[in-house]
Amino acid sequence: RVVGQLYWIMRHRGIDIVHTHGFSDALLGRVLARLAGVPVVVSSLHNTLVWKHRFQLLLDRLTSPLADAIIAVSHAVARFAEERERIGRDRLRVIYPGRDLKHFSPRGDVALGAMKRSLGLHPQGLVVGGG
């Protein structure tokens, strides 16, 4: 039922781009988007997925030509896709995930030191975080 609904949405709502991010959604998204006439299909690869079974690799190989581009988050992921999934280098693009660090700049040494103390950390200690 959900597959039919996705197809209907893609076909009748004027969807211009389908961007997939995982094995299952890439497999389904690529096929449905092409059947529905979506003009641009892009898939992102986030890791090397060494756990994939041969059958999954085969399905990726068969459906990856349906994508206009495959985005890899690193050169290592791109190499894996090229070697194991046999995706042509001309179709792979490496785009590193990132953050604009100016949005995370400290509000001043005094405020940062106070924040660290409130968390029980040494005021001069290095703090690294992610999101």
Side-chain angles (χ1 to χ4, degrees):
R1 180 176 166 191
V2 172
V3 172
Q5 290 174 332
L6 280 173
Y7 172 80
W8 190 93
I9 289 168
M10 289 180 196
R11 181 83 178 156
H12 299 288
R13 296 256 175 109
I15 303 299
D16 294 318
I17 299 172
V18 168
H19 185 181
T20 65
H21 284 271
F23 172 74
S24 299
D25 63 317
L27 182 65
L28 186 61
R30 292 169 185 165
V31 172
L32 285 179
R34 287 303 175 205
L35 290 173
V38 175
V40 178
V41 179
V42 178
S43 290
S44 289
L45 302 176
H46 298 271
N47 55 54
T48 56
L49 301 174
V50 293
W51 52 264
K52 275 188 180 177
H53 299 288
R54 286 184 209 155
F55 185 66
Q56 290 172 308
L57 288 170
L58 175 65
L59 291 173
D60 265 343
R61 288 176 191 150
L62 292 173
T63 62
S64 66
L66 299 175
D68 295 295
I70 308 287
I71 298 170
V73 298
S74 71
H75 287 288
V77 172
R79 274 192 305 278
F80 176 85
E82 187 178 359
E83 293 167 6
R84 293 282 310 275
E85 298 185 6
R86 298 184 187 143
I87 296 171
R89 182 176 291 195
D90 59 318
R91 301 188 54 252
L92 285 164
R93 307 287 183 274
V94 175
I95 301 176
Y96 292 101
R99 304 252 195 266
D100 185 352
L101 296 180
K102 71 181 176 189
H103 296 293
F104 301 96
S105 62
R107 296 174 291 195
D109 290 338
V110 175
L112 184 58
M115 185 185 318
K116 287 179 183 179
R117 276 191 296 280
S118 75
L119 295 170
L121 303 173
H122 188 279
Q124 306 305 317
L126 177 65
V127 177
V128 178

